[in-house]
Amino acid sequence: MADGSKSRDDGHIHLAFGQDFLTIPIASIMPLKSLPDGARESRSYSQVLSSIKAIGLIEAPVVLADPKKEGTWFLLDGHLRLEALKELGITEVECLLATDDDTYTYNKRVNRIPPIQEHRMIVRAMERGVSANDIADALNLQVESVLRRFKLLEGISPEAAEMLKDTPCSMKVFDILRQMSAVRQIEAADLMIGQNNFSIMFARAIRAATPDNQLVAAKKGKGAAVPTPSGQQMARMERELAALQTQVESVEETYGVDNLHLTVARGYIAKLLANSRVVRWLATHQQDYLGEFQKIAEIDTLGPIAEAPDV
């Protein structure tokens, strides 16, 4: 869904922000993987399609030049967007250029848009004069929901927002974080990322364990204090934390050996993908394997057990 670009009647996508992009014919772009079955019928694809119609392309596709065939480009990121552009009859698109070294560094998140990225998309669109009503129609949302997404990061520490920008934290999780001080928000974000748990219940457990001096005082007219969780809620939080601890302990038993094996395997695959000849061959003959190899090479959190990896 994308980056400050806007569709026009001449069939081009025109970038609205002053970065160095290259306009490329869509017919010259070769996807490195096939979309999964049902992708074109998914809600995500429908959102991409309708949002491009209404507010333009917000995030440019990422491509890599084929050194053996001038005028041909490998698509590293933006497969859903490319399909939507084709369906809309758009013949050219502004793309971000990657180098050989960047081949495996892009995430292929085709199934969902992280809430913070969606927030930034809406902010950019509204800054360009697109109304909340038009955005709501494009994204199939209520206007109130669009406005809430627009205000998603109000009261959120910039550092915590940066940490959580690619995570599936819901709006309710941000409501809970807003009850904490900036420093505690950062600590909470680190805890959620470390446990790979972005659920509302886990956020409530963190808030319940937060000292009073790290909580934000309630605004006047909205109650004297943040509601204290009930006994039943606390019991549920404790069960979830106990389950997490059990999972961590079971992983610790084999973590060292497994981590070594995974690190060696990832390093070998990353080295293969750093070779542009290997990437070109895989792109031509084994696109599915290339996509899976890229996902493995992208994993960069095999270090401490608290940094569990995150489509």
Side-chain angles (χ1 to χ4, degrees), residues 62-288:
V62 181
V63 297
L64 173 71
D66 182 350
K68 286 195 172 183
K69 190 174 180 181
E70 186 176 355
T72 300
W73 308 81
F74 295 125
L75 180 65
L76 302 182
D77 181 51
H79 292 73
L80 273 188
R81 280 165 267 153
L82 191 70
E83 286 300 313
L85 292 170
K86 290 178 181 177
E87 183 170 330
L88 293 172
I90 295 170
T91 58
E92 293 181 332
V93 62
E94 295 274 6
C95 295
L96 175 63
L97 304 184
T99 65
D100 284 344
D101 291 339
D102 296 320
T103 302
Y104 56 86
T105 61
Y106 294 92
N107 275 331
K108 315 307 185 286
R109 291 185 172 88
V110 299
N111 294 322
R112 62 174 172 78
I113 299 173
I116 288 183
Q117 300 298 346
E118 187 177 42
H119 155 79
R120 290 173 178 169
M121 175 198 77
I122 291 173
V123 169
R124 288 170 181 169
M126 295 182 76
E127 286 175 347
R128 299 202 312 272
V130 181
S131 70
N133 286 327
D134 288 341
I135 296 174
D137 290 340
L139 300 181
N140 194 28
L141 296 170
Q142 297 292 325
V143 175
E144 294 77 11
S145 184
V146 170
L147 294 176
R148 190 178 176 201
R149 285 167 167 78
F150 178 78
K151 299 177 180 178
L152 181 71
L153 297 184
E154 287 187 2
I156 300 297
S157 158
E159 292 82 0
E162 179 65 21
M163 293 170 69
L164 298 172
K165 67 179 181 180
D166 293 321
T167 67
C169 282
S170 70
M171 289 190 288
K172 290 185 178 180
V173 168
F174 286 101
D175 289 340
I176 296 168
L177 290 176
R178 221 171 268 117
Q179 300 171 14
M180 308 175 197
S181 67
V183 172
R184 184 56 175 170
Q185 288 177 15
I186 296 171
E187 293 175 350
D190 188 54
L191 285 169
M192 289 188 286
I193 293 170
Q195 293 294 336
N196 194 28
N197 187 337
F198 305 98
S199 68
I200 297 171
M201 186 61 67
F202 190 52
R204 286 175 177 165
I206 295 173
R207 186 249 168 253
T210 300
D212 290 342
N213 62 0
Q214 291 187 330
L215 294 175
V216 176
K219 293 182 178 179
K220 293 181 179 179
K222 293 190 177 182
V226 178
T228 302
S230 67
Q232 185 178 11
Q233 289 174 325
M234 286 296 295
R236 289 176 62 189
M237 294 175 193
E238 289 172 359
R239 287 197 299 271
E240 182 159 337
L241 289 173
L244 282 172
Q245 185 61 37
T246 301
Q247 292 174 16
V248 170
E249 290 174 355
S250 66
V251 169
E252 285 178 336
E253 295 177 0
T254 59
Y255 177 77
V257 174
D258 291 344
N259 185 65
L260 176 61
H261 291 166
L262 288 171
T263 300
V264 173
R266 182 194 61 177
Y268 178 71
I269 291 174
K271 186 175 181 180
L272 283 179
L273 295 183
N275 187 320
S276 59
R277 295 176 61 187
V278 172
V279 173
R280 286 195 298 273
W281 188 91
L282 288 171
T284 303
H285 301 287
Q286 298 289 347
Q287 291 186 10
D288 291 341

Side-chain angles (χ1 to χ4, degrees), residues 5-7 46-58 88 125 128-140:
S5 314
K6 186 69 178 176
S7 178
S46 177
Q47 283 187 329
V48 170
L49 190 67
S50 59
S51 67
I52 290 176
K53 287 181 183 178
I55 60 180
L57 194 64
I58 298 177
L88 293 172
R128 299 202 312 272
V130 181
S131 70
N133 286 327
D134 288 341
I135 296 174
D137 290 340
L139 300 181
N140 194 28

Side-chain angles (χ1 to χ4, degrees), residues 10-31:
D10 59 5
H12 293 64
I13 294 293
H14 298 269
L15 188 71
F17 300 98
Q19 300 183 39
D20 293 330
F21 286 74
L22 183 66
T23 300
I24 298 174
I26 288 177
S28 300
I29 300 175
M30 179 187 299

